[in-house]
Amino acid sequence: MIPLQIAIDGPVGAGKSDISARLAQELGLVYLYTGAMYRALALACFRNGIGYKDAPRVRPLLEKYRIDLTESDPKSGKAFKVLLNGEDVTQELFQPEIDKGSSAVSTIPEVRRFMVKRQQDMASNQRVVMEGRDIGLRVLPGATLKIFLTATLEERARRRHELQQAKGLRKSYAEVLQDTRDRDLQDSTRQADPLTKTSDAWELDTTGMTREQVVERIINELKIRHLI
Ligand code: DC
């Protein structure tokens, strides 16, 4: 029997991580946050002083560093834990520098091929909610349900701004709006598998919805389609 596999793609700030983690918890599925793997690679570049788009120097890092996504430590407040050669780097992955670096490193085609293969192995025969940019397109093309989660640019920037303020970062809303616009542009115009909504994906615009409402709406959709 094919396991229930839910693919969630969409632009930065659409609420993918939060929604995916909650959905996985509600349905008892494994939550796989693929962005964390690109972030961990960006951190490896940063630590080694390697430019995020310097493909010949980034490539060997894929062999040198093992990136693992594991179950979270309940105290961490995160739904996952990321190991870089066994070291827990979860807390370091969400600095603005690594935000930008992960988007840049993900434009390298060999990096994408490597990550996609690893992610497919991780999901194999598992009941999962997998979240990223190319899950429906490349990682799980046969996913049970493909969701394309969106929200307006302004709402996504507002959510990111709120999160950053809570973390004590002092960027203005205007700056976060511009960062969000830049990330959208890089993620959707890169040559290798740019962020796109596949024709078989169900689009859910979360503008003005609470997290609870979004999770409820998705569970409802799974029921309507007789998937759960
Ligand atoms: O989901 P996120 O914003 O944490 O991801 C960080 C970057 O990684 C994002 O800007 C693009 C890249 N990414 C990707 O190219 N493919 C994925 N499946 C997940 C993330």
Side-chain angles (χ1 to χ4, degrees):
M1 209 177 83
I2 300 168
L4 176 64
Q5 297 196 320
I6 301 173
I8 302 192
D9 292 298
V12 64
K16 297 187 299 296
S17 298
D18 211 8
I19 301 303
S20 303
R22 284 169 188 243
L23 191 64
Q25 197 183 23
E26 289 262 334
L27 300 174
L29 310 181
V30 175
Y31 166 51
L32 294 173
Y33 166 36
T34 62
M37 299 173 72
Y38 292 92
R39 287 175 180 270
L41 180 62
L43 180 66
C45 291
F46 181 71
R47 287 183 174 179
N48 286 277
I50 292 174
Y52 304 115
K53 289 194 176 180
D54 187 348
R57 297 183 71 209
V58 171
R59 220 177 289 130
L61 298 181
L62 294 169
E63 301 301 327
K64 193 171 161 199
Y65 288 94
R66 186 182 164 85
I67 298 168
D68 289 300
L69 283 184
T70 67
E71 294 284 309
S72 73
D73 180 341
K75 284 185 299 219
S76 72
K78 294 245 184 268
F80 56 90
K81 186 156 96 178
V82 188
L83 304 178
L84 190 63
N85 277 352
E87 175 195 347
D88 182 356
V89 293
T90 318
Q91 299 303 332
E92 286 176 63
L93 300 183
F94 298 92
Q95 306 158 27
E97 173 65 28
I98 302 301
D99 274 357
K100 281 205 198 98
S102 59
S103 179
V105 87
S106 76
T107 62
I108 302 176
E110 297 96 308
V111 165
R112 305 205 64 78
R113 276 197 290 277
F114 182 93
M115 295 293 189
V116 167
K117 174 77 181 55
R118 281 270 287 132
Q119 290 157 8
Q120 287 174 333
D121 289 346
M122 288 163 68
S124 161
N125 286 319
Q126 298 241 55
R127 286 158 47 86
V128 296
V129 176
M130 200 172 211
E131 171 229 323
R133 302 290 189 290
D134 59 348
I135 310 304
L137 180 71
R138 285 280 174 255
V139 185
L140 301 176
T144 325
L145 179 65
K146 297 181 184 179
I147 304 173
F148 194 76
L149 214 59
T150 61
T152 59
L153 171 72
E154 291 73 18
E155 168 117 356
R156 291 185 290 113
R158 192 186 53 68
R159 291 177 188 168
R160 293 183 76 211
H161 185 236
E162 248 171 40
L163 263 175
Q164 295 189 1
Q165 296 273 308
K167 281 197 243 164
L169 294 172
R170 257 178 249 125
K171 282 197 174 182
S172 67
Y173 169 74
E175 285 172 300
V176 178
L177 182 67
Q178 189 53 45
D179 286 351
T180 309
R181 203 178 271 126
D182 293 346
R183 282 279 292 284
D184 277 357
L185 189 70
Q186 174 139 272
D187 291 348
S188 59
T189 58
R190 68 176 176 229
Q191 292 250 306
D193 294 344
L195 170 70
T196 35
K197 175 180 169 250
T198 57
S199 59
D200 54 354
W202 171 58
E203 180 165 343
L204 178 55
D205 184 342
T206 68
T207 309
M209 289 171 84
T210 64
R211 298 174 177 107
E212 292 73 20
Q213 287 171 329
V214 176
V215 172
E216 203 181 300
R217 180 71 190 84
I218 294 174
I219 290 181
N220 215 15
E221 187 68 20
L222 285 161
K223 286 182 183 158
I224 291 169
R225 296 182 186 218
H226 303 291
L227 298 173
I228 54 171

